[in-house]
Amino acid sequence: MRCDEARELITARVDGELSAGERLAIDDHLKICGSCREAFGAESRLKQQTKLAGRSITAPATLRQAIEGRIAGRRPIFKGRSIKSVRRWFDISGWRPAFAMALLFLAAASIIYMRWPSQNIGLAALETHASILNGNTVLVRSGDPVAMRDKLARAVGERFKPVAFDLSIMNLYPVSGFVQKVGHREVLVTVYQGDGPTITCFTFLGSEADAPEGAERFYDADMRLDFYSFSRGGLNGLLHREGGVICLLVSKMPAADLLAMIRGKSAHA
Amino acid sequence: MKGIKAGDLDRERFASEVMTYIDHLYRVAYYLVKNADEAQDCVQETCVRALGSQSQFTPGTNMKAWLTRILYNFSHDAYARNRRMVSAEVLIEAGEQTKDFWETLPTANPGPETLVLERELGARIGDALSRIPEEFRAPIVLVDMGDLSYAEAAEVLSCPIGTVRSRLSRGRKLLEKQLCGYVGSTGTDR
């Protein structure tokens, strides 16, 4: 076999797309040809890295929400576009029935989604906190809270930053942070540890609907904010909206103490 | 009062299954059209088209390849002529209820540095891919990014399997040149 004949077979070998006979032939050639072996190695590495690069691309949460909105027809999704362009889109032959069918089909689907079990970011946060406490999540510790916060923000393309608390009065400090993927959403996780119980702060783009079913809602008149508290397995969660993000604190500490902490942060802000 | 019809259930299942391929579709679209906003448009249109063409899909066959073909055809038709047909802008608004119905429990927690490095690699490869002619880029996107087999890629591209293989081979050579050794230097042991 000549090297120019081997070229495409090397590609197919990298992809595992050869017949048994072709594989034997190319493997025999690779045994005796150093340059083709090198080409095989280089192409394998390239494929691996390309694949890895592909995996880093996931659908934005906003896209999923847009599709769900389109499914349910509950949200105008063409904001920012001229009405003319929207009309033009609807005027394309064949699209109106397709769109109507999609709405019909997926309105039903959305009902299923609404009942989808264990699909809650609040519950996922409780599990993460439990995993931190029992050592299943290994924390990479950082000695520089400011740099850690910046890194976390960079990790989500500066779309939002982790909500920060000064808990030094309780001898609690941000010791570790990471990005957690829950479904297709990115959650910035900051772990506070020190003398008291560990507190984990989850910051993400979302809404109050991310509180689990059965969460208790209460209004704090001083802060003029709605809070949602919930508990599972001895862990307490307290969720509220802070500007454009949702902040969820999870700890063994009672919700009242967590609330006092948030109040303290507000007083210092 | 009538119960839920079998057809409705089929449609619900169909819609649910389509939703499981959103990441795959977005990934392929992202590298095909070279623009995040347009990729989102493509995926939305693909979903609408797929749901409107449910009758054309044979249950039990390869939905991933079928959806990818719809996506590819749409992106090819709409964007080859630099024509923007539709775009969506959805913002998370105050007080608006949002739910991610497909979320699963956390599996791994890559550190922020890992995430940043992966994004850098993704950006470099995306940039290099964008400089490759579409006929060579598409097989790479479908096979490497989209995890399609040669047969599935051939179905999407409406060409023989041999053509996929040869374009892939040439495409990877071009990609390697564009990356100028970046991939080799990053290694695989990060």
Side-chain angles (χ1 to χ4, degrees), chain A residues 8 15 17 43 49 51 54 59 70 75 79 105-106 113 119-121 151 155 180 184 186 207, chain B residues 11 15 19 23 27 44 49 51 85 89 93 96 101 103 106 113 119 144 147 150 166 172 187:
Chain A
E8 285 184 18
D15 294 320
E17 291 269 358
E43 192 162 337
Q49 296 291 342
K51 202 168 181 166
R70 199 155 174 170
R75 184 184 300 154
K79 290 177 299 182
F105 295 168
L106 296 177
Y113 303 159
Q119 302 286 308
N120 185 274
I121 209 163
K151 274 184 190 173
Q180 177 180 348
H184 300 281
E186 290 167 319
S207 74
Chain B
R11 283 189 285 274
M19 290 298 287
D23 268 345
R27 187 174 298 136
Q44 287 201 55
R49 286 186 178 196
L51 290 157
M85 295 177 69
E89 177 188 327
E93 296 170 349
E96 190 176 31
F101 303 105
E103 64 195 16
E113 286 180 356
R119 286 191 174 178
D144 291 349
D147 278 331
Y150 283 8
S166 61
R172 284 190 186 143

Side-chain angles (χ1 to χ4, degrees), chain A residues 185-207:
Chain A
R185 281 193 284 176
E186 290 167 319
V187 179
L188 298 181
V189 185
T190 311
V191 183
Y192 292 79
Q193 286 181 332
D195 290 345
T198 298
I199 298 172
T200 310
C201 174
F202 300 81
T203 311
F204 53 94
L205 296 175
S207 74

Side-chain angles (χ1 to χ4, degrees), chain A residues 137-156:
Chain A
T137 295
V138 178
L139 299 177
V140 179
R141 293 184 183 268
S142 166
D144 186 344
V146 176
M148 183 175 79
R149 194 164 182 245
D150 287 346
K151 274 184 190 173
L152 288 171
R154 276 173 57 211
V156 291

Side-chain angles (χ1 to χ4, degrees), chain A residues 204-221:
Chain A
F204 53 94
L205 296 175
S207 74
E208 287 82 352
D210 289 304
E213 198 176 338
E216 208 173 311
R217 175 183 169 183
F218 61 93
Y219 179 72
D220 186 277

